[in-house]
Amino acid sequence: MKILVTVKEVATVEDEFEIEGTEIADQYLGADLNEWDDYAVEEAVQLQEAGVADEVVTVTIGPEDCEQTIRQALAKGADRAVRVWDDSLEGVDLLDVNAKTEILSAVVEEEDPDLILTGVQAGDDSFGATGVSLAEEVGYQWGAVVNHLEHEFDGDVASVRRELEGGVEELTDIELPAALTIQTGINEPRYASLRGIRQAQRKELDVKNLADLDVDESAVDSDLELTDMYEPESESDVTVWEGSADDTAAELGELLRDKGVAP
Amino acid sequence: MDFALSAEQQQIRDMVSEFVDEEIVPVADEIDHEDEFPQDLVDEMADLGLMGMPFPEEYGGAGLDYHSYAIGLEEISRGSGGLGTVVAAHTSLAGNMLYEFGDDAQLEEYLTPLAAGEDVGAFALSEAGAGSDVPAMETMAEKDGDEYVINGGKLWISNGSVADTVTVFAKTDPEAGNKGISSFVVRPEEDDGFIVENTEEKLGDKGCPTAELRFDDLRIPEDRLLGAEGDGFVQALKTLNGGRITIAARSIGIARAAFDEARDYAGEREQFGQPIGEFQSIKHKLADMDTKIQAARMLMHKAADKKIRGENFIKDSAQAKLYASEISREVANEGIQIHGGYGYTKDFPAERFYRDAKLNEIYEGTSEVLRNTIGDQLLDN
């Protein structure tokens, strides 16, 4: 089985920051491997160690700067990486789901994986749609918000547990080829070993532009426009009651009902 | 001249730093308080390759260059000074004795499990009456057929009570002064007559057991001799030269931890209506602390660079260790001062950094002996 894992370098933000226009100012930003993708990589590497997967390939849309982040995934055990970048992507503020879907689906056609693992979402722009959108585009089955994957595959069927709202979970059998969006907590991502880091520097990292993938530059155009970014104002308020619990519990109950916290 | 880390070195630093922040920092106080050898952490570190950083992969190591090894040790020590000593004594001293002076069979049998972190190593040189004055040692190794019989004792042996492999120095020719010293591989588990007398109660460096050892007719086969009879003194000096780079690293790691805490505290603590870090007296302290750390780091990497190039680095490693060890104590001292009364309590880690830092000026060559080493190098050349 061949597994393709989408890996994104996301912007990380310091606790204190300032917004300039529709962006957080550069000096408050760092970069790291997307947290959800870290779990997806770990799941793929575990499948390889269990003898289920033969090859784990990562795919990233991003400039050369993000290669160190890609190598983190290689250091943890992915076999090789594909990085897609193009001059036409250089000035794009917001790469929307449609554009990512079109680019990644071209990579899926080339790689022809049996299983695609993506993070549920990216920590910075949080569309939470790329995995499912990609599956739809390439005609794969999908499972979203997967928090357990059986490592024993029954033929071409992946048995997954999905996290629903309100603490409900469901078990689903999904026929391969499929895309699964991986939730944090599905495993415990490893630290890369020193040997892994050294080997990663020598692993294949293939760079492709849109023409290499037969993707038209118009794919990058977006109907979405980021119009504003702001920090929502939060209010805090404290009420203190003096006296014993017997006297004040009822008052607390009333307040909670007033605020809509208790029914 | 390039001061930038390579991509690989950056990744190594980032990985070790993340491991330290998530796995070591949260338990550092507990290690300091309990003073127990942190076996679980050592096992985790072994899985990542951190117990055999500079040794080739064919001997179970991670194959890092000496810069990367120093960076790794600096990060580990930033989390816990005791753990820094565990790794430094295991790797730079015991490991390097085997790697530099062991034959093929010894590399295979003793270095490989050490570098993989399955075994823990210790280096037994000092004695009650032989600290800086190495040739004053009294431990004897007498040849008896195809065996050596060792009698004597060692003091201040880091990892000494938990080690699986100890490189022991003993006199094979008591009349030959420093040319009569030889080194041996001793295996506490399998060799009768290896006795752990005691472990020291220390000011700091908790978690790394510092042991007093006694050898009572300890018999070992002759193939445990490292190199040739009489080589021991030179082997010890060469090993300590390399070891000093990692004590510089431990010093820098502790100083960084002290600086980070002090800077954070100076930003949060308010007096007279403003964070104390905005007062010039505190700001200048922070400036001096960081300047010292940066200077120490450059000396460390310069010594590592010369070692990698195969040049004479005796003066450089002595200078790196001397300077880094002294500034680690100074920076940790200012860290307490910036914390004020809180810094003197066990509620904050500032006092731990100070206790851990002090040792840097003593072991693997005291500041006094290192000044002699540096002076000799200056006058000889």
Side-chain angles (χ1 to χ4, degrees):
Chain A
M1 181 193 293
K2 181 174 179 178
I3 303 179
L4 184 72
V5 187
T6 59
V7 164
K8 188 185 178 195
E9 180 180 276
V10 294
T12 55
V13 188
E14 290 180 17
D15 292 343
E16 306 265 324
F17 61 88
E18 283 171 31
I19 294 170
E20 287 175 0
T22 58
E23 288 179 347
I24 292 166
D26 262 355
Q27 67 263 37
Y28 305 105
L29 294 176
D32 203 356
L33 171 64
N34 180 37
E35 186 185 353
W36 284 266
D37 297 348
D38 197 15
Y39 288 86
V41 169
E42 176 66 31
E43 200 63 19
V45 171
Q46 285 188 11
L47 285 169
Q48 189 180 46
E49 287 170 346
V52 178
D54 312 305
E55 191 180 23
V56 175
V57 183
T58 69
V59 56
T60 301
I61 303 171
E64 196 178 350
D65 284 353
C66 71
E67 287 197 357
Q68 284 313 310
T69 298
I70 297 171
R71 296 221 184 263
Q72 277 186 44
L74 294 173
K76 291 181 183 207
D79 296 301
R80 61 185 174 87
V82 178
R83 178 173 72 81
V84 183
W85 195 241
D86 198 273
D87 290 344
S88 62
L89 290 163
E90 227 34 270
V92 177
D93 283 342
L94 187 70
L95 196 63
D96 71 14
V97 174
N98 286 334
K100 289 178 191 171
T101 301
E102 200 153 333
I103 293 167
L104 292 174
S105 64
V107 175
V108 170
E109 268 169 40
E110 279 199 356
E111 294 288 342
D112 193 24
D114 304 284
L115 187 62
I116 302 169
L117 300 181
T118 76
V120 164
Q121 60 188 339
D124 49 4
D125 54 21
S126 298
F127 283 122
T130 305
V132 172
S133 172
L134 173 62
E136 175 67 18
E137 177 75 16
V138 298
Y140 280 26
Q141 293 298 313
W142 72 78
V145 201
V146 170
N147 66 8
H148 179 75
L149 170 63
E150 281 297 329
H151 288 186
E152 303 268 321
F153 278 66
D154 183 10
D156 278 343
V157 175
S159 294
V160 307
R161 188 175 70 211
R162 299 178 51 234
E163 192 177 300
L164 309 182
E165 281 300 304
V168 178
E169 298 192 325
E170 68 168 37
L171 299 177
T172 314
D173 285 346
I174 299 172
E175 211 166 307
L176 301 184
L180 306 176
T181 75
I182 300 296
Q183 176 66 309
T184 55
I186 187 173
N187 51 42
E188 195 175 330
R190 70 193 65 194
Y191 297 98
S193 70
L194 293 174
R195 275 190 202 198
I197 291 171
R198 295 190 62 229
Q199 284 163 359
Q201 304 299 320
R202 300 189 290 268
K203 283 182 179 172
E204 184 185 334
L205 197 166
D206 207 8
V207 183
K208 291 178 184 290
N209 62 26
L210 296 188
D212 295 334
L213 294 168
D214 274 334
V215 174
D216 195 86
E217 282 187 16
S218 65
V220 171
D221 298 336
S222 176
D223 294 333
L224 275 182
E225 192 191 346
L226 186 60
T227 55
D228 198 7
M229 184 181 284
Y230 62 95
E231 276 187 276
E233 282 189 26
S234 59
E235 284 178 30
S236 60
D237 194 10
V238 177
T239 306
V240 179
W241 289 281
E242 308 225 341
S244 71
D246 285 346
D247 298 335
T248 57
E251 290 177 65
L252 172 62
E254 196 174 330
L255 181 93
L256 291 177
R257 270 193 296 276
D258 271 1
K259 297 284 183 194
V261 179
Chain B
M1 196 177 289
D2 186 357
F3 288 95
L5 299 181
S6 70
E8 183 181 303
Q9 288 165 339
Q10 280 180 43
Q11 292 232 317
I12 288 164
R13 184 196 57 196
D14 291 350
M15 182 282 281
V16 184
S17 175
E18 188 184 342
F19 176 80
V20 167
D21 285 333
E22 292 185 13
E23 312 293 335
I24 299 179
V25 169
V27 297
D29 258 356
E30 190 185 321
I31 293 172
D32 183 55
H33 188 256
E34 303 292 326
D35 198 10
E36 298 272 344
F37 182 75
Q39 184 67 54
D40 291 351
L41 269 180
V42 169
D43 290 343
E44 280 182 65
M45 287 163 60
D47 288 343
L48 297 177
L50 291 167
M51 297 304 284
M53 288 188 262
F55 305 118
E57 292 189 13
E58 60 177 308
Y59 299 123
L64 303 193
D65 64 77
Y66 230 74
H67 290 298
S68 301
Y69 170 38
I71 289 166
L73 200 89
E74 178 187 322
E75 288 296 332
I76 292 166
S77 306
R78 180 173 64 76
S80 161
L83 204 50
T85 303
V86 168
V87 179
H90 165 90
T91 311
S92 298
L93 301 185
N96 263 329
M97 277 295 293
L98 296 165
Y99 179 52
E100 294 292 338
F101 310 113
D103 58 30
D104 287 347
Q106 289 168 331
L107 288 172
E108 174 94 10
E109 193 161 357
Y110 306 119
L111 178 62
T112 303
L114 206 75
E118 293 154 16
D119 282 1
V120 171
F123 172 89
L125 178 67
S126 297
E127 298 184 6
S132 298
D133 183 8
V134 172
M137 75 169 56
E138 291 176 355
T139 297
M140 294 287 301
E142 280 180 87
K143 194 79 188 278
D144 181 21
D146 55 5
E147 292 181 322
Y148 284 96
V149 182
I150 303 180
N151 280 289
K154 296 286 173 182
L155 207 56
W156 308 307
I157 308 308
S158 301
N159 295 341
S161 57
V162 295
D164 304 280
T165 290
V166 185
T167 58
V168 171
F169 294 82
K171 281 194 172 162
T172 39
D173 181 355
E175 308 305 319
N178 62 26
K179 294 193 171 61
I181 297 171
S182 306
S183 71
F184 302 89
V185 175
V186 170
R187 303 275 289 171
E189 281 294 311
E190 52 198 80
D191 300 336
D192 289 337
F194 182 98
I195 298 148
V196 177
E197 287 280 16
N198 186 28
T199 55
E200 306 293 342
E201 193 177 329
K202 307 189 298 271
L203 177 67
D205 201 44
K206 304 295 178 74
C208 178
T210 304
E212 179 182 353
L213 307 177
R214 187 162 60 83
F215 314 122
D216 185 9
D217 278 336
L218 186 148
R219 279 182 179 272
I220 51 172
E222 62 185 353
D223 63 10
R224 299 280 193 82
L225 176 70
L226 283 168
E229 277 192 19
D231 286 354
F233 183 71
V234 171
Q235 291 170 344
L237 290 189
K238 285 185 174 170
T239 301
L240 288 168
N241 282 337
R244 281 169 195 149
I245 296 175
T246 41
I247 299 307
R250 177 183 185 269
S251 305
I252 295 162
I254 293 170
R256 278 181 54 214
F259 171 78
D260 289 347
E261 288 290 332
R263 182 183 52 186
D264 290 353
Y265 184 81
E268 287 162 14
R269 170 70 170 171
E270 292 193 3
Q271 288 287 271
F272 305 104
Q274 65 180 37
I276 60 169
E278 288 174 20
F279 291 107
Q280 194 180 51
S281 56
I282 301 296
K283 198 187 293 181
H284 283 188
K285 279 190 200 299
L286 291 169
D288 286 344
M289 290 159 80
D290 186 60
T291 304
K292 286 173 178 175
I293 291 168
Q294 299 305 327
R297 204 184 238 165
M298 290 211 186
L299 286 174
M300 174 183 82
H301 282 300
K302 185 185 175 207
D305 182 62
K306 286 187 121 178
K307 178 171 165 45
I308 291 168
R309 289 170 195 274
E311 295 173 19
N312 178 339
F313 64 100
I314 295 172
K315 180 169 80 86
D316 307 88
S317 64
Q319 287 175 322
K321 195 272 192 185
L322 170 67
Y323 183 74
S325 63
E326 296 195 342
I327 69 102
S328 73
R329 190 242 313 134
E330 292 164 12
V331 168
N333 181 45
E334 291 291 43
I336 294 179
Q337 191 69 20
I338 288 171
H339 280 76
Y342 291 113
Y344 199 66
T345 71
K346 301 243 173 196
D347 294 340
F348 286 77
E351 59 84 34
R352 167 163 57 86
F353 302 139
Y354 186 69
R355 289 184 286 109
D356 283 351
K358 181 60 206 174
L359 181 57
N360 295 322
E361 296 176 289
I362 298 171
Y363 65 179
E364 297 196 32
T366 61
S367 290
E368 292 71 21
V369 162
L370 291 181
R371 285 190 165 87
N372 284 341
T373 304
I374 295 163
D376 289 346
Q377 292 282 317
L378 291 171
L379 296 171
D380 281 347
N381 292 337

